[in-house]
Amino acid sequence: MNEPLEAVTGPLADEHVRTTTTRVFLALAPPDDAKDELAQALRPAYGAHPRMRWNRIEDWHITLAFLGELPVAAVPPLMAPLAGLAARRRPLRLALHGGGHFDERVLWTGVAGDLAGLHHLATDVRALVRECGVSFPERPLRPHLTLAGSRRGDQAATVEAAAGIAAFSGRSWEARRLHLVGSNVGRGPGPIHYRDIDAWDFGRGADGT
């Protein structure tokens, strides 16, 4: 369900900041059956490492561009251009594959399939956002889906969990929608939650990859 911008910002200590900014990224989301398949492969890790900070399955996503904290007023002008870009692109055939960790602290699964198309889409999405006047930090695209983070002093759990899904090979699926997502990262205690601000279907355009 799409949410109003106010609903994705969450409480902040500074009320003025809460009402004028929101944290935003653009992403793809695996379908439920692909996520369920991975969740089944993660069951041993869930049982062995309950203290890890496991992301909610409904929040799993593949980030294309992290825009960071934006003025709320900067978000609506992005919507029509992003909808147009999505309509001109074809769905991407992808799969979740393997596992690893960043600095023994963040557990992830990788992405296989049409990686060239994925990189091309991310490049175009980032260029369009900048053309709309929104600047954001440039980060290289490392296609992955973040699953969990370790607690301080418990990095061994992340390494062990990554080894447990290293051989995972999920079924292929089509990424059919481009998602504009807001999050409550850094906005108080509790888990990170994500909500769609909007999402647009990919078309079958001639310029799709």
Side-chain angles (χ1 to χ4, degrees):
M1 176 183 295
N2 296 346
E3 300 281 352
L5 292 180
E6 293 82 2
V8 299
T9 56
L12 283 175
D14 184 335
E15 181 69 15
H16 176 69
V17 174
R18 185 190 71 80
T19 58
T20 58
T21 68
T22 187
R23 189 162 292 184
V24 178
F25 59 91
L26 287 144
L28 304 177
D32 288 344
D33 52 357
K35 292 188 292 187
D36 290 343
E37 186 180 32
L38 176 58
Q40 181 69 23
L42 284 167
R43 287 186 66 183
Y46 288 150
H49 309 294
R51 295 188 65 254
M52 289 183 69
R53 296 186 177 94
W54 293 99
N55 290 353
R56 301 189 314 166
I57 293 175
E58 56 265 44
D59 289 335
W60 285 353
H61 63 272
I62 300 165
T63 300
L64 299 174
F66 180 74
L67 308 187
E69 198 84 19
L70 297 183
V72 167
V75 178
L78 297 174
M79 294 182 180
L82 287 167
L85 183 150
R88 296 189 300 272
R89 302 303 297 264
R90 295 174 182 157
L92 296 174
R93 176 65 62 177
L94 303 172
L96 301 178
H97 182 79
H101 57 82
F102 297 132
D103 299 326
E104 300 184 352
R105 298 184 62 184
V106 176
L107 175 68
W108 52 262
T109 190
V111 179
D114 186 4
L115 296 183
L118 183 63
H119 280 269
H120 187 63
L121 174 63
T123 297
D124 286 355
V125 163
R126 296 177 185 200
L128 183 147
V129 170
R130 289 195 170 91
E131 288 170 5
C132 291
V134 175
S135 60
F136 57 95
E138 184 62 43
R139 299 177 180 178
L141 180 66
R142 302 175 67 178
H144 70 280
L145 189 156
T146 300
L147 301 172
S150 66
R151 296 185 182 275
R152 187 180 299 274
D154 195 24
Q155 288 89 340
T158 306
V159 175
E160 184 176 328
I165 59 170
F168 174 75
S169 183
R171 69 168 192 84
S172 66
W173 46 271
E174 277 195 341
R176 298 177 178 176
R177 306 194 86 195
L178 175 63
H179 297 259
L180 178 66
V181 187
S183 76
N184 68 340
V185 176
R187 300 181 183 279
I192 298 169
H193 290 169
Y194 303 103
R195 295 290 183 272
D196 272 5
I197 297 171
D198 212 335
W200 306 277
D201 292 338
F202 292 123
R204 297 283 175 178
D207 66 341
T209 45

